Amino acid sequence: MSVTQFTEQELKDLEEKTTIPRFLFLPLGLVGLWCLAVYWPSNAIGWQAFWTLFTSYCLFCWTSCFHECSHHTLSGSKNASIWLGRVLGTAMFVPYTIYRESHIRHHAYLNKPSDWELWPYSDPNTSLRFRRVFIWFDLVLGLFMAPYIYGRIFWHKDSPLKDPKLRKTIRYEYMAMVLFWGSVIGVCAYYDAIWGLLRVWFLPHYLAGIYQNTRKFTEHLGMSSYDPMLGTRTVVGSNIITRLCTYFNFDIFVHGPHHRHPRIAHNLLLQKMDDYQEQNPDVKYPVFTSYWGAIIDMAPSFIFKPGVGMNAGAPAPAKEKKQIDNFVQDVAKEVLADQDHVSKPT
């Protein structure tokens, strides 16, 4: 498995940032699970609905933490990112190493046919009819579709993952996931607690999958540019709710700078966006002040033409400067072909 290589300054930024308050969603999610399990304070439908929605949003924040783990930017400790990522990946049915390898290529080849994470929307060989149907399964059944989409990079005959050691690691992670969930389901079946497992874990997890895929669509669907600053929607919140959601999701909503600089500490993304807008006043970045604004902008693509890159009307991308298997400092400077690059470096 690759390990993200940081510059001295990048590592210093990671070590100096304050992350602990953002982890409130972890214990709060466990509180929500406990309240659902014991029917606290009662089994009234109102309380059960409240705790289900509350817990599902906490689990959605867990997916953002999982994403941060894949970059090794959770803290100054790479081992902490790796092992927490493996725990979260097991819980979410997506092996950590598969997610990381897919996500590395998502950053490097954004909106291109080789962007495995955005399949089928990035694949020009998929028909519009197929994508129009598939996207509803992707939205409504995100809990099941995410393991399938991410797993393609390992199981597909054209998989770019050729290293035997890497594939062995992934097989072990799959085995651990099957063993863990097989044991959990077996114990619950033995004690006649399957309904409790569905109610307490799978229903909130199912809803979190819908939130997560809505975020994926909002940030990417309908974006044609291969330039990471123009090929993603960025949300810079102007209200307290959007800002809080951004904070507890490790600033992932500031998506353009994150896509161009996948090794940057998440607390620096807002400043990075300001720098780009100041230094490129002639470039109209897809920046929104609320998530609803970004969703409204994405909605026509969701309904009529679900796709990115070539499936959103772009010409075929030029050849990258180099093929990569790890996160780089600046995707536009190090990977993206000059003719596909719009924004100047900051």
Side-chain angles (χ1 to χ4, degrees):
M1 181 180 65
S2 63
V3 176
T4 306
Q5 301 300 319
F6 297 101
T7 65
E8 185 177 341
Q9 182 59 52
E10 286 171 340
L11 194 57
K12 183 172 182 288
D13 291 337
L14 289 174
E15 291 172 344
E16 290 180 349
K17 68 183 175 67
T18 302
T19 302
I20 292 177
R22 298 175 190 258
F23 279 105
L24 274 174
F25 63 84
L26 278 169
L28 288 177
L30 294 175
V31 168
L33 291 170
W34 180 83
C35 290
L36 284 171
V38 301
Y39 290 102
W40 187 90
S42 75
N43 62 356
I45 188 65
W47 277 111
Q48 292 302 296
F50 168 78
W51 285 117
T52 297
L53 293 172
F54 175 86
T55 305
S56 68
Y57 192 81
C58 289
L59 296 185
F60 168 61
C61 293
W62 289 20
T63 69
S64 297
C65 182
F66 183 48
H67 164 268
E68 205 69 18
C69 289
S70 75
H71 284 261
H72 296 170
T73 52
L74 193 64
S75 67
S77 170
K78 295 175 185 177
N79 283 333
S81 290
I82 292 169
W83 287 103
L84 179 57
R86 283 176 169 160
V87 170
L88 293 174
T90 298
M92 299 171 190
F93 317 118
V94 178
Y96 167 76
T97 303
I98 274 188
Y99 180 81
R100 175 174 162 84
E101 294 298 325
S102 178
H103 201 60
I104 285 171
R105 289 156 180 82
H106 174 54
H107 275 266
Y109 313 122
L110 174 70
N111 296 340
K112 299 175 183 177
S114 49
D115 184 347
W116 289 78
E117 189 168 313
L118 287 183
W119 184 89
Y121 316 106
S122 60
D123 185 354
N125 294 318
T126 57
S127 69
L128 177 59
R129 176 179 295 179
F130 172 78
R131 285 180 274 119
R132 281 176 172 169
V133 173
F134 184 90
I135 197 168
W136 289 101
F137 286 94
D138 201 6
L139 175 66
V140 178
L141 299 175
L143 170 64
F144 307 102
M145 299 309 295
Y148 170 73
I149 291 173
Y150 285 112
R152 288 182 72 255
I153 199 171
F154 177 74
W155 298 103
H156 197 278
K157 63 182 178 62
D158 297 324
S159 170
L161 309 183
K162 305 298 184 184
D163 182 2
K165 290 180 64 176
L166 178 66
R167 296 185 68 84
K168 184 177 181 180
T169 297
I170 293 171
R171 283 195 293 270
Y172 281 148
E173 290 178 350
Y174 265 121
M175 289 168 59
M177 186 171 66
V178 170
L179 179 63
F180 173 77
W181 281 110
S183 300
V184 169
I185 293 171
V187 169
C188 289
Y190 181 80
Y191 287 103
D192 197 23
I194 291 294
W195 167 244
L197 180 65
L198 293 173
R199 182 179 59 83
V200 174
W201 176 259
F202 282 96
L203 178 57
H205 191 176
Y206 168 79
L207 293 175
I210 294 177
Y211 309 156
Q212 166 64 15
N213 278 359
T214 300
R215 183 187 68 78
K216 177 180 75 172
F217 297 146
T218 302
E219 291 164 351
H220 296 292
L221 212 60
M223 307 305 285
S224 60
S225 178
Y226 304 117
D227 185 311
M229 295 297 296
L230 297 176
T232 61
R233 293 181 183 87
T234 291
V235 177
V236 178
S238 62
N239 61 74
I240 187 63
I241 294 177
T242 304
R243 289 178 180 175
L244 277 174
C245 291
T246 299
Y247 180 83
F248 286 112
N249 283 280
F250 298 89
D251 303 296
I252 194 175
F253 300 164
V254 190
H255 214 58
H258 166 71
H259 248 281
R260 178 164 178 174
H261 304 282
R263 297 190 331 215
I264 193 174
H266 53 76
N267 60 309
L268 301 179
L269 291 172
L270 283 170
Q271 182 58 54
K272 203 71 171 175
M273 188 69 247
D274 289 340
D275 292 343
Y276 274 105
Q277 290 180 309
E278 180 180 337
Q279 297 183 26
N280 298 276
D282 56 328
V283 178
K284 184 174 176 57
Y285 294 106
V287 177
F288 300 83
T289 57
S290 73
Y291 221 82
W292 280 116
I295 289 175
I296 291 170
D297 186 72
M298 174 275 296
S301 299
F302 181 96
I303 297 169
F304 301 111
K305 195 176 180 180
V308 299
M310 295 174 69
N311 286 334
K319 186 177 181 181
E320 293 85 8
K321 293 174 183 174
K322 63 179 179 180
Q323 297 294 303
I324 68 164
D325 58 4
N326 208 333
F327 293 113
V328 298
Q329 186 175 27
D330 186 332
V331 170
K333 288 176 63 177
E334 300 177 58
V335 183
L336 192 66
D338 291 337
Q339 50 266 58
D340 292 332
H341 176 40
V342 179
S343 303
K344 299 174 184 176
T346 61

